[in-house]
Amino acid sequence: TCVTGKRTFRIGVLGSGKGSDFVAIADACVAGSVPAQVAVVLSDVPEAGILSRARERNIPAHFLPPGKFRTKLEEEAERNYIEALRAAKVDLVVLAGFMRVLKDAFLGTFAGRIVNIHPSLLPSFPGLAAWEQALAHGVRVTGCTVHFVDAGVDSGPIIGQQTVPVLDDDTAETLHQRIQAAEHALYPKCVAAIARGEVAIRGRRVVWRAF
């Protein structure tokens, strides 16, 4: 584990699925290319792959019940997520396929400290199945975007983007696979920059500062 300043930069990860973006970040932390450690992994799905992949790496991983809503956390559940992240003393909350919209209490607690990755070049194709949207629109280039999270849907300040060409014989599955490969390169790079203090938000824009 690399150390920034006097203490290790700590990441909390939220995910609902297999956790491939989490794996890319966690393994980059171990390799030293991301100067941080994953302190905790939380999921709203009890059998989510991300939990088992975290436990394989000896990272604390917990299922926290989301409550009765389908697309957001119930108020009490949101408090439980906040407390778990606070208890782990996280500096940054990383969303890795977390399929719930975060509301005001969560956004306020971790203002400017929540990041997400989206499988398109935002602001194009926000929302679900962005690779299918890209195919349906006939674009020749798509990609992925790492951004800070705000109250909108995939609307926060953009940290980094990586392009992926759309090939003539692409299916939704093949395009999604190549976008995910780009995600696994881009997400650790952006998290590393944040951990090093190289990223600052100025209004709607994110500025990278090299020291």
Side-chain angles (χ1 to χ4, degrees):
T1 301
C2 296
V3 175
T4 301
K6 293 182 179 179
R7 65 181 287 271
T8 305
F9 189 93
R10 297 170 67 83
I11 297 167
V13 179
L14 274 56
S16 304
K18 295 177 182 177
S20 64
D21 281 318
F22 151 71
V23 167
I25 291 169
D27 290 355
C29 289
V30 172
S33 55
V34 175
Q37 74 175 96
V38 180
V40 69
V41 173
L42 305 175
S43 181
D44 60 324
V45 178
E47 303 301 324
I50 193 171
L51 293 175
S52 56
R53 299 183 93 169
R55 289 166 185 150
E56 289 165 5
R57 290 162 173 77
N58 296 314
I59 296 169
H62 310 289
F63 160 67
L64 294 182
K68 63 186 177 184
F69 301 116
R70 193 172 63 85
T71 59
K72 65 179 180 178
L73 295 172
E74 210 167 36
E75 266 187 49
E76 183 182 354
E78 189 168 58
R79 285 195 296 270
N80 291 337
Y81 276 78
I82 290 169
E83 286 309 311
L85 292 165
R86 278 177 165 165
K89 297 181 171 62
V90 304
D91 300 292
L92 184 72
V93 179
V94 172
L95 306 185
F98 192 61
M99 301 306 292
R100 292 176 187 271
V101 177
L102 301 177
K103 308 307 284 184
D104 291 346
F106 201 109
L107 297 174
T109 302
F110 300 103
R113 296 191 292 143
I114 310 170
V115 294
N116 183 45
I117 192 159
H118 183 75
S120 77
L121 297 176
L122 292 172
S124 296
F125 313 128
L128 297 174
W131 57 94
E132 294 179 2
Q133 296 182 54
L135 272 182
H137 277 75
V139 296
R140 307 307 297 172
V141 176
T142 185
C144 54
T145 302
V146 177
H147 63 95
F148 285 107
V149 175
D150 63 11
V153 176
D154 302 321
S155 63
I158 290 171
I159 302 164
Q161 294 181 303
Q162 188 160 320
T163 59
V164 173
V166 181
L167 306 180
D168 289 340
D169 59 351
D170 260 331
T171 63
E173 183 179 352
T174 59
L175 180 57
H176 189 207
Q177 286 174 348
R178 289 207 319 286
I179 292 173
Q180 283 195 313
E183 289 181 9
H184 300 160
L186 180 66
Y187 215 174
K189 177 183 174 184
C190 292
V191 170
I194 294 168
R196 294 190 189 104
E198 295 173 357
V199 170
I201 304 175
R202 293 184 187 166
R204 289 288 312 154
R205 295 187 62 224
V206 172
V207 180
W208 286 54
R209 303 173 299 184
F211 295 105

